[in-house]
Amino acid sequence: MSKAANFLTSQVGRKIATGITGFGLVLFMIVHLLGNLAYFAGPEAINTYSHTLHQMGPILWVVRLGLLAFFLYHAWLGISIWLERRKARPEAYHVYDTRGGVSRYSWSSRSMIVTGILLLLFVITHLQTFAFHDFEYAVYGGVEMHDVHQRLTEVFQSPVYTIYYVIIMVLLGMHLRHGVWSAFQSMGWMSRRTNPMIYTAAFIVAVLIAAGFIGLPLSIYFELV
Ligand code: HEM
């Protein structure tokens, strides 16, 4: 095996790759969140935003395939690291109870695999609901485009969808809170001095992204927009 392949399959290499793909996915989520906020500016704003994206043609497909690769590689890395850790320490997690309560490390790793798998399943249902949906059309200035605004409004009139999205976005926040901090640690960017700062920054990023996403379904459901 080449040196690069050896590194990528090593424990340290896989942790770093998990961090890099994780950062990539966070970047996607920030862009996606900003795009969603266009809903608040009215139907023309969000429909035009979506239309502009779809006009990117081959570039859009390159980004989509890259994103898919990042998602799948990140999930595979997370699952393989979790399985390996489990094999190395097959005892139940409560064995690691400390005087101060259950160790944060064991709780975090366990919740990461659960929230990660739920998020992966969510993305599949999410794509069905929005990306692969047979949209109605809206026309602005003679240009016909997908009526994404109408679809969002329709979906989040349902209490089931709204509650489902709110729950999943809370799980996303939990995943990000530990994930962002852990990515910094894997990259070797943590030190005694920066540790508390990075821990707080990870918390703020997680809350902002989760709350930002939650805002849209709730605003539509409660007719605040
Ligand atoms: C309240 C939360 C969310 C809402 C309302 C929402 C809404 C949407 C909408 C309307 C689209 C279709 C856009 C279009 O066709 O122009 C879309 C696409 C997508 N969303 Fe979300 N989204 C949310 C959260 C998320 C999260 C948390 C993820 C990832 C973990 C995600 C991943 C995706 C992906 C991968 C696509 C496909 C993009 C493409 O067409 O290339 N979304 N979302």
Side-chain angles (χ1 to χ4, degrees):
M1 221 191 289
S2 73
K3 261 189 179 173
N6 259 334
F7 178 71
L8 277 178
T9 48
S10 72
Q11 211 169 18
V12 175
R14 279 180 296 144
K15 279 290 282 173
I16 290 178
T18 314
I20 294 173
T21 48
F23 279 134
L25 294 174
V26 167
L27 198 67
F28 160 73
M29 272 179 246
I30 293 172
V31 174
H32 188 4
L33 174 59
L34 293 176
N36 280 3
L37 294 182
Y39 182 97
F40 293 98
E44 187 168 352
I46 189 148
N47 291 341
T48 307
Y49 164 74
S50 161
H51 183 69
T52 310
L53 281 186
H54 290 114
Q55 289 304 102
M56 285 162 61
I59 301 175
L60 178 65
W61 277 105
V62 172
V63 174
R64 277 176 168 165
L65 290 176
L67 187 61
L68 181 68
F70 260 47
F71 257 119
L72 296 180
Y73 189 38
H74 185 81
W76 178 79
L77 287 163
I79 292 169
S80 78
I81 291 169
W82 180 77
L83 284 175
E84 215 170 79
R85 211 175 267 162
R86 216 177 124 93
K87 219 161 81 184
R89 296 188 295 184
E91 303 93 341
Y93 277 99
H94 63 258
V95 170
Y96 298 103
D97 277 10
T98 63
R99 260 187 294 169
V102 177
S103 117
R104 182 162 66 193
Y105 185 66
S106 43
W107 154 246
S108 300
S109 5
R110 191 168 44 175
S111 77
M112 285 306 273
I113 189 77
V114 175
T115 52
I117 289 173
L118 290 174
L119 286 169
L120 200 61
L121 296 177
F122 158 78
V123 171
I124 298 167
T125 65
H126 180 57
L127 291 181
Q128 262 177 338
T129 310
F130 290 111
F132 304 140
H133 179 73
D134 218 356
F135 286 96
E136 287 180 24
Y137 286 90
V139 181
Y140 302 101
V143 181
E144 201 176 60
M145 47 188 87
H146 282 166
D147 199 344
V148 178
H149 184 276
Q150 182 276 338
R151 179 64 182 155
L152 282 162
T153 311
E154 175 186 47
V155 167
F156 294 121
Q157 266 161 13
S158 146
V160 176
Y161 268 112
T162 306
I163 292 169
Y164 171 57
Y165 267 73
V166 169
I167 291 173
I168 294 292
M169 293 310 123
V170 170
L171 296 182
L172 172 69
M174 286 167 64
H175 194 83
L176 289 178
R177 192 189 82 109
H178 178 73
V180 171
W181 169 78
S182 172
F184 271 92
Q185 197 182 41
S186 305
M187 311 300 255
W189 294 337
M190 299 283 271
S191 70
R192 196 181 279 255
R193 194 174 56 83
T194 57
N195 202 335
M197 223 160 61
I198 291 175
Y199 204 74
T200 309
F203 178 78
I204 293 172
V205 167
V207 169
L208 283 181
I209 293 182
F213 274 126
I214 285 173
L216 184 58
L218 285 186
S219 303
I220 296 175
Y221 184 73
F222 290 109
E223 296 180 3
L224 302 175
V225 61

